[in-house]
Amino acid sequence: GTSSDDASSSEADVTAPSSAYTSLVAADCQDLPSSGPNEVPFTQQSCKGMPGWSLLVEDFDSRNNVQVKFGSKAMDLEVWNRLPAFSHLGEKAEWRGPVKSAGVVDPYALIFRFYQTDGEGRESNFLVVNRITPTASCIVGLVNGGEAGANQKARDLADGAKNYVCPGAEPLSNPDSVF
């Protein structure tokens, strides 16, 4: 059925997608021991997320990346492969999901702002929209952060992807099937 979820619209607020925010500011995150090659500055910080979740913010040669962690499982979003220029993250992570308690959602998506600078020093930014599950996480889309209504577009994209299956999420029952 396609509309079974909408059947009880009177209680929709409980299951309706909502946003909760956590900080990505360096001062609010915890430095992890550096494991990169010594010549190239490589840092990792762990930033608190929703309960059970955290974000590993990596900086390698002035380029940022994010790994999503659920418990001890880290899932690399490989943002720097999609947006390879010099970059830094915005100050907040937005978690999308149904509300569990004040300021807490059970997340199925994660949105963060990603600033990058081109060779001429011009800065642009994107809202990176990610599908997250305890076993797999991946980028589902980028929204130009300079666009009108960018935040809402990113939320709509996040909410539309809540059933999206990231590569590697679960073994396919029949790997030879094209479906």
Side-chain angles (χ1 to χ4, degrees):
T2 50
S3 59
S4 57
D5 295 348
D6 310 330
S8 57
S9 52
S10 56
E11 294 127 48
D13 355 335
V14 187
T15 55
S18 186
S19 292
Y21 300 90
T22 56
S23 175
L24 295 173
V25 178
D28 295 331
C29 300
Q30 190 183 355
D31 290 325
L32 299 177
S34 174
S35 55
N38 297 334
E39 314 82 74
V40 182
F42 175 79
T43 61
Q44 271 190 324
Q45 284 199 312
S46 176
C47 303
K48 274 168 72 80
M50 291 294 106
W53 298 84
S54 61
L55 297 175
L56 278 182
V57 176
E58 300 177 305
D59 186 300
F60 182 77
D61 199 19
S62 301
R63 291 167 174 82
N64 274 191
N65 186 45
V66 177
Q67 295 197 43
V68 178
K69 277 188 85 172
F70 184 79
S72 60
K73 183 173 172 65
M75 298 165 276
D76 193 344
L77 296 173
E78 298 182 4
V79 194
W80 41 26
N81 293 346
R82 290 286 291 273
L83 299 165
F86 290 121
S87 57
H88 65 273
L89 292 175
E91 299 194 336
K92 276 196 286 220
E94 179 174 357
W95 304 79
R96 293 290 287 172
V99 175
K100 291 196 78 164
S101 58
V104 177
V105 298
D106 183 13
Y108 53 71
L110 168 73
I111 303 169
F112 52 83
R113 198 175 286 267
F114 198 82
Y115 294 87
Q116 62 173 27
T117 311
D118 67 14
E120 265 68 88
R122 281 186 299 262
E123 190 174 72
S124 56
N125 75 85
F126 294 90
L127 292 166
V128 181
V129 181
N130 309 278
R131 167 78 170 111
I132 60 172
T133 74
T135 57
S137 299
C138 58
I139 298 174
V140 290
L142 303 173
V143 174
N144 183 337
E147 244 172 71
N151 288 342
Q152 193 52 52
K153 279 185 190 145
R155 287 181 195 123
D156 291 346
L157 187 58
D159 296 344
K162 68 171 170 231
N163 299 317
Y164 182 81
V165 178
C166 291
E170 51 230 31
L172 295 169
S173 47
N174 178 2
D176 301 324
S177 165
V178 289
F179 294 105

